[in-house]
Amino acid sequence: MTKRVVRREDGRAVIYYDFEDENPARDAETQPKAPQGDAHE
Amino acid sequence: MSELRWNPTLEQWTITATHRQDRTFLPPADFCPLCPTKPGAGAEYVTDVSAAAYDIAVIENKFPSLRTPAAEPAVQGTDLYPVAPSDGVCEVVLYTQEHNATLTSQPVERLEKLIRVWQDRYADLGARPEVDYVFIFENKGKIIGVTIDHPHGQIYAYPFIPPIPKTEIDAARRHHEKTGRRLWDDIVAEELRDGRRIVARNETWMAAIPFYARYPYEVHLFPLRHVSRITDLNEQERHGMASILKAILTKYDNLWGFSMPYMMVMHQAPTDGGDYDFYRFHVEFYPPHRTAQKLKYLAGSEAGAGAFINDTLPEEKAAELRAIEPVSES
């Protein structure tokens, strides 16, 4: 399991968990970019 | 504005969080803030989650009840009414990118991954000095008060031990001091001995509507080995937890043929540095339905007196759930 922590512009963290051994295709994906975002609960 | 206000009559904290009045409320699927941002989306359609390729994601809540550093309290405390900063963390756990999925529809393999994420969050959040208790939970269904349909759970990292876990911990401590045995060792042994309230069981976990259930379909999941926290689970026990979660969730949905609303909560050892070896990690479900058409409301006796009236017998409801095949399409 790997996790990538991305800090949004509003300061909130987003943690993306990947299970690369189970999903090798994910290795080829680009790294996430910090979005502007909107609300959630 | 957000702070902790001490209730001297119940000896517990109330959290104020006035900014939550404005949080997102049941947006249509095309505007779901928890779906990955669509390729080429304009700035007004950028969501909280940008990476289209991920297994599970965790986001800090945009409208947190607890946050470090905490906001300035709205009022000053007094000797009678102490006020404390609402330090802590509130996170949202995205189970999947699929908007119309549910926890129930996830295959066992994904549930195992989710358990690993829960373990990571418990360890990470529990290591923070301001966090005394990590509470993992899910509210499912509009009648529970869910404001976003996208399948997700939540984690609250409190700067104190909340009242219900504290009551359980204090009871378990007294039981241990009195008998020399762990309370949940005795509960699991009693449920296994009696057998009538067991709903499902595998090599490492069991599910039962316990003797003392308050809701008609209140299933508790217990690890058969004593562990105090989710991080103590080994690989086999993670698989066992995922399997029994899948079985119970599927039974719930198959009971009346619709997606069962529920609250799912995890009780485990606090993270305040204390010794809680006498306390066992477990999961509790509170579905609000008492029949397909009728709800169990928390009315006068429950809300005002704290005395639950269960209109059913756990032995009968457990038999009902036990008889339902945990068959699903996933």
Side-chain angles (χ1 to χ4, degrees):
Chain A
M1 181 179 81
T2 61
K3 61 179 185 181
R4 297 166 287 160
V5 182
V6 176
R7 188 66 64 175
R8 293 168 44 90
E9 288 186 358
D10 63 8
R12 291 184 292 138
V14 184
I15 309 170
Y16 296 96
Y17 288 89
D18 278 296
F19 298 81
E20 294 172 359
D21 49 339
E22 294 98 327
N23 300 284
R26 299 273 160 76
D27 292 345
E29 299 289 345
T30 56
Q31 292 293 306
K33 297 174 184 176
Q36 296 296 318
D38 197 352
H40 57 74
E41 83 175 295
Chain B
M1 296 293 183
S2 180
E3 70 262 357
L4 309 184
R5 297 186 178 210
W6 184 248
N7 177 340
T9 69
L10 295 177
E11 296 186 316
Q12 59 186 233
W13 291 107
T14 297
I15 304 171
T16 65
T18 56
H19 54 285
R20 286 178 56 77
Q21 283 282 53
D22 299 323
R23 68 187 185 275
T24 308
F25 185 76
L26 296 175
D30 286 347
F31 294 90
C32 175
L34 301 184
C35 282
T37 302
K38 294 181 175 67
E44 67 273 29
Y45 296 112
V46 173
T47 71
D48 277 3
V49 193
S50 63
Y54 65 87
D55 281 303
I56 294 167
V58 175
I59 310 171
E60 283 185 295
N61 198 314
K62 184 159 186 174
F63 297 96
S65 305
L66 304 161
R67 181 177 57 192
T68 302
E72 281 295 313
V75 296
Q76 295 288 321
T78 66
D79 286 344
L80 179 64
Y81 294 152
V83 169
S86 54
D87 287 311
V89 184
C90 293
E91 293 184 335
V92 176
V93 182
L94 307 187
Y95 298 152
T96 172
Q97 300 175 40
E98 297 174 39
H99 182 82
N100 292 318
T102 63
L103 187 63
T104 313
S105 69
Q106 303 309 302
V108 170
E109 295 74 21
R110 177 171 286 272
L111 295 177
E112 286 186 66
K113 294 176 183 176
L114 178 60
I115 292 165
R116 289 165 69 183
V117 171
W118 284 333
Q119 288 180 314
D120 180 75
R121 300 320 303 144
Y122 178 87
D124 194 358
L125 296 171
R128 299 192 187 195
E130 75 274 24
V131 173
D132 282 354
Y133 196 87
V134 179
F135 184 60
I136 300 168
F137 67 102
E138 179 188 352
N139 297 328
K140 180 192 170 196
K142 290 183 178 65
I143 62 172
I144 296 291
V146 164
T147 55
I148 295 178
D149 288 329
H150 194 107
H152 68 282
Q154 299 187 63
I155 303 174
Y156 276 22
Y158 296 99
F160 56 86
I161 304 173
I164 289 178
K166 185 175 187 307
T167 299
E168 285 189 353
I169 290 164
D170 290 345
R173 181 184 287 112
R174 286 192 297 271
H175 184 84
H176 191 257
E177 290 169 354
K178 181 180 176 183
T179 68
R181 299 188 305 273
R182 298 184 186 107
L183 178 56
W184 267 266
D185 286 1
D186 285 357
I187 289 170
V188 169
E190 177 69 11
E191 294 299 341
L192 287 171
R193 183 199 63 76
D194 186 289
R196 288 175 297 171
R197 293 176 293 273
I198 293 176
V199 177
R201 183 182 173 182
N202 60 37
E203 288 186 359
T204 52
W205 283 75
M206 66 172 285
I209 299 181
F211 179 81
Y212 45 85
R214 299 168 298 170
Y215 295 85
Y217 294 96
E218 180 182 328
V219 172
H220 292 200
L221 311 182
F222 303 110
L224 295 178
R225 181 175 71 94
H226 173 78
V227 296
S228 295
R229 49 191 69 78
I230 195 169
T231 46
D232 295 336
L233 297 177
N234 59 35
E235 185 174 355
Q236 185 188 14
E237 289 162 339
R238 279 199 301 265
H239 179 72
M241 181 179 173
S243 297
I244 209 157
L245 255 179
K246 179 72 176 179
I248 296 305
L249 290 167
T250 307
K251 281 174 179 281
Y252 275 154
D253 279 10
N254 290 350
L255 179 61
W256 293 308
F258 60 76
S259 187
M260 178 79 104
Y262 58 73
M263 291 166 269
M264 175 185 74
V265 308
M266 298 188 192
H267 288 168
Q268 51 191 320
T271 57
D272 61 352
D275 178 8
Y276 297 98
D277 184 57
F278 53 84
Y279 186 72
R280 186 178 300 207
F281 166 58
H282 62 280
V283 183
E284 301 185 2
F285 282 93
Y286 316 136
H289 279 267
R290 56 188 173 92
T291 72
Q293 290 83 28
K294 297 174 183 172
L295 298 178
K296 167 64 182 172
Y297 290 100
L298 301 192
S301 183
E302 291 84 2
F308 268 71
I309 315 295
N310 186 343
D311 302 324
T312 65
L313 292 178
E315 293 77 16
E316 294 177 357
K317 295 292 117 178
E320 196 178 328
L321 281 179
R322 194 166 56 239
I324 294 173
E325 290 295 322
V327 177
S328 69
E329 295 178 355
S330 56

